[in-house]
Amino acid sequence: MNLSFALALSAITGAAAFAPISNTARTTVIRMSDEAADMPVEPELPAMSMSLPFMARPDALTGSMAGDAGFDPLGFAKTDADLLNYREAEVKHARLAMLAAAGWPLSELFDKKIAVALNMVPLVDATDRAPSVLNGGLGKVSPVYWIGILGVAAAIEFIGTTKSKSGDANYFPGNFGFDPLGLYPKEEDGQMRMQLAEIKNGRLAMIAIFGFAIQEFVLKQGVIDGTPIFFYPLSQALKMMTNSGYIH
């Protein structure tokens, strides 16, 4: 009898193994599959730098910031905190360079005219070169100007430091909340595009300012005279280029 009971129990157990899955179990499996499909998939970060494909990508440069192409050949940004500090400095220098890239040639165009109108001594020299470390002439600038510049720089630095340490989740390097015309997009994609445009133009402006300084030091003439096609009427620019030997 014990043998018969054992055989019967074995048959029942074996049959249960091939029984169909219950509706509850099937629903649970489907629900888990849907939840897995809805979970965002983190993109795999490249092992090599985008800007320098022959070098490994620095760990801190994950591409999360606008303009981040993995360029850090000297390894300055070792941590996320380092990266934020360097980006803060880069944005400030980029904005200053964009102002300077426009102000430098404009000063060479209008400084003498404004000085004559106000009965003042022009700051640009006889060859239309703006005052700079390489050109000289910084001693002619009023101390009041330098005091004002230092005051404005200190105020901006104070605002930036305060905001960066405020714990605001929406803060990113350079975000001072200054948007009087409401041009900053509301959607995330638009914000990233504007940040990218700013940092690219700022980097280009920093290169341009360096080029202005070297060009004027080497050629001993102002930027506006070295490239008159950008700053004078076409007929006058062609005449200047002819006299300088660029056009024969």
Side-chain angles (χ1 to χ4, degrees):
M1 181 176 179
N2 290 339
L3 180 59
S4 300
F5 178 77
L7 291 173
L9 181 61
S10 176
I12 294 172
T13 303
F18 295 96
I21 301 174
S22 65
N23 291 335
T24 302
R26 184 181 295 109
T27 303
T28 302
V29 172
I30 294 174
R31 186 181 299 114
M32 292 176 64
S33 299
D34 292 341
E35 291 176 355
D38 293 338
M39 291 178 63
V41 179
E42 292 291 336
E44 185 177 353
L45 296 175
M48 307 303 289
S49 168
M50 185 185 303
S51 58
L52 300 172
F54 54 86
M55 295 185 66
R57 176 186 59 81
D59 293 336
L61 303 184
T62 61
S64 59
M65 287 186 176
D68 177 6
F71 183 82
D72 186 18
L74 300 181
F76 288 126
K78 295 180 174 58
T79 65
D80 291 341
D82 290 340
L83 180 61
L84 292 176
N85 288 333
Y86 282 121
R87 173 50 64 93
E88 193 85 48
E90 181 183 29
V91 170
K92 290 176 181 177
H93 284 82
R95 290 170 177 171
L96 183 61
M98 285 188 282
L99 291 173
W104 189 309
L106 287 176
S107 70
E108 296 180 347
L109 279 172
F110 298 110
D111 177 73
K112 290 182 179 179
K113 297 177 182 178
I114 295 175
V116 170
L118 299 178
N119 196 26
M120 299 174 66
V121 178
L123 293 180
V124 298
D125 62 15
T127 57
D128 293 331
R129 296 187 304 168
S132 71
V133 174
L134 296 179
N135 294 340
L138 293 177
K140 296 190 294 183
V141 181
S142 170
V144 176
Y145 171 82
W146 296 120
I147 294 173
I149 288 296
L150 288 175
V152 172
I156 294 175
E157 188 67 24
F158 175 77
I159 294 172
T161 302
T162 302
K163 283 186 170 291
S164 65
K165 298 183 181 301
S166 64
D168 185 1
N170 295 323
Y171 179 81
F172 55 86
N175 180 18
F176 292 171
F178 181 78
D179 186 24
L181 300 180
L183 300 178
Y184 195 60
K186 304 299 182 184
E187 68 279 2
E188 186 176 352
D189 289 343
Q191 292 175 357
M192 186 61 70
R193 282 196 303 272
M194 183 162 285
Q195 292 175 35
L196 180 61
E198 180 184 36
I199 199 65
K200 282 188 173 181
N201 282 279
R203 289 168 177 171
L204 182 61
M206 288 188 278
I207 295 174
I209 288 298
F210 178 76
F212 286 174
I214 298 300
Q215 176 182 332
E216 293 197 348
F217 178 71
V218 173
L219 300 181
K220 305 301 181 184
Q221 63 178 357
V223 171
I224 61 172
D225 298 327
T227 52
I229 195 70
F230 295 115
F231 305 105
Y232 292 101
L234 182 60
S235 58
Q236 184 178 353
L238 292 176
K239 183 178 180 180
M240 293 174 65
M241 294 171 71
T242 301
N243 293 337
S244 63
Y246 285 112
I247 298 178
H248 298 282

